[in-house]
């Protein structure tokens, strides 16, 4: 399937999820995750109208950025080693994996301008997953209030790889409730309007629970 066909199918399902949850389709951003695919396939994604691209590794990001630097809005969605911050921080538009103070402090030191960050939360509690525990999020956000280069625009999570729909609803709902709590705190450095959640297997459920940014790889650019 070409990317345009995949995108049409995804958008149809997104619209159905919006209708079900009484949401506005226009407020949801699709991030095309190109980590598995070639430059050619990435170009196809851009041509199909995807302008937000996500990469989870430095090498992949570099390669795609070299080709399409000016043509896309760049989301770094993988965990970021502190010592790699300086290499990418001024090239990306959004970081989805802010999960520790040392990383925030390195960004403060290296970034030329404020960076739009999602705080990554390990809602499911799986050991393999990065992110803060839900009950650590509020104090973490308070701890970075003095950093002038960090703007917490939202929260991000990765759900378990499962077909258990109820579990998925619960994970996404918990992140939304946490987002609401941060947002209602009215912190200047943490407007926290957004929810980055939902991937190829679970984006309709994430949208029903309030996702504003879905990160879709295999279903969009896979074969
Ligand atoms: C790979 C990846 C995705 C996309 O995964 P698919 O299942 O292929 O849609 C989304 N978010 C993160 C953080 C990823 O690493």
């Amino acid at each position: 399937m070409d990317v345009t066909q995949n995108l049409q199918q995804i958008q149809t399902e997104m619209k159905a999820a919006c209708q079900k949850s009484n949401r506005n389709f226009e407020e949801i951003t699709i991030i095309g995750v190109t980590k598995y695919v070639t430059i050619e396939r990435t170009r196809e994604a851009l041509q199909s109208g995807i302008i937000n691209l996500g990469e989870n590794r430095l090498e992949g990001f570099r390669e795609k950025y070299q080709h399409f630097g000016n043509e896309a809005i760049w989301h770094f969605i993988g965990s970021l080693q502190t010592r790699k911050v300086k290499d990418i921080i001024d090239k990306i538009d959004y970081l989805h994996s802010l999960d520790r103070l040392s990383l925030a402090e390195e960004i403060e030191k290296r970034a030329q301008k404020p960076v739009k960050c999602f705080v990554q939360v390990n809602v499911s509690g799986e050991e393999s997953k990065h992110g803060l525990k839900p009950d650590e999020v509020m104090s973490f956000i308070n701890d970075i209030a003095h950093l002038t280069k960090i703007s917490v625009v939202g929260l991000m999570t990765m759900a378990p790889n499962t077909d258990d729909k109820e579990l998925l609803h619960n994970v996404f709902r918990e992140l939304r409730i946490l987002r609401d709590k941060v947002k209602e705190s009215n912190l200047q450095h943490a407007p926290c309007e957004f929810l980055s959640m939902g991937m190829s297997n679970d984006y309709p459920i994430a949208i029903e629970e309030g996702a504003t940014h879905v990160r879709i790889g295999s279903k969009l650019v896979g074969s």
Side-chain angles (χ1 to χ4, degrees):
M1 294 277 264
D2 61 40
V3 178
T4 304
Q5 286 172 306
N6 291 341
L7 180 59
Q8 275 168 0
Q9 200 196 332
I10 290 165
Q11 286 174 328
T12 301
E13 284 171 29
M14 286 174 66
K15 283 174 186 161
C18 284
Q19 205 151 35
K20 216 165 150 182
S21 51
N22 213 355
R23 296 191 59 203
N24 186 354
F25 172 74
E26 315 299 329
E27 74 191 18
I28 301 164
T29 300
I30 301 175
I31 301 170
V33 176
T34 48
K35 66 187 185 192
Y36 315 107
V37 302
T38 60
I39 293 295
E40 266 320 301
R41 196 69 171 164
T42 304
R43 181 172 290 120
E44 234 192 279
L46 286 163
Q47 284 167 350
S48 77
I50 294 287
I51 55 169
N52 289 272
L53 295 183
E55 282 284 332
N56 70 334
R57 302 182 65 103
L58 206 66
E59 299 71 33
F61 169 74
R62 277 210 191 96
E63 193 199 359
K64 304 294 184 350
Y65 187 85
Q66 232 171 28
H67 280 83
F68 309 114
N70 302 323
E71 295 170 55
I73 297 168
W74 296 97
H75 299 256
F76 196 80
I77 62 175
S79 69
L80 181 58
Q81 288 175 278
T82 307
R83 64 192 169 85
K84 303 282 178 66
V85 165
K86 61 178 184 309
D87 300 337
I88 66 162
I89 203 64
D90 286 319
K91 299 190 173 83
I92 62 176
D93 297 290
Y94 293 88
L95 176 68
H96 289 246
S97 53
L98 180 60
D99 62 354
R100 60 194 189 279
L101 189 58
S102 58
L103 179 59
E105 287 170 339
E106 181 68 8
I107 292 170
E108 180 73 8
K109 202 154 80 180
R110 302 288 187 175
Q112 301 294 315
K113 55 179 191 323
V115 182
K116 290 176 271 205
C117 297
F118 289 81
V119 171
Q120 184 169 355
V121 188
N122 184 358
V123 177
S124 65
E126 289 171 287
E127 253 177 58
S128 60
K129 294 236 164 33
H130 290 269
L132 293 161
K133 293 187 187 132
D135 64 5
E136 298 170 336
V137 169
M138 206 60 233
S139 66
F140 173 73
I141 289 176
N142 284 321
D143 287 347
I144 60 173
H146 63 291
L147 304 179
T148 60
K149 303 284 175 49
I150 307 261
S151 176
V152 177
V153 298
L155 303 182
M156 177 276 215
T157 200
M158 287 179 80
N161 185 5
T162 174
D163 292 330
D164 182 342
K165 292 196 167 151
E166 187 168 338
L167 176 61
L168 292 168
H169 274 284
N170 288 340
V171 165
F172 293 138
R173 190 176 306 135
E174 185 173 341
L175 194 71
R176 184 187 70 211
I177 290 167
L178 198 51
R179 188 275 315 263
D180 292 346
K181 192 173 134 196
V182 179
K183 193 175 164 202
E184 283 158 15
S185 303
N186 279 317
L187 303 168
Q188 208 184 13
H189 73 296
C192 206
E193 289 179 86
F194 300 139
L195 278 173
S196 169
M197 57 189 198
M199 316 193 338
S200 291
N201 285 325
D202 53 23
Y203 65 89
I205 296 174
I207 288 171
E208 284 178 41
E209 295 297 343
T212 62
H213 293 67
V214 290
R215 311 178 308 267
I216 305 183
S218 41
K219 184 144 183 179
L220 179 68
V221 290
S223 47

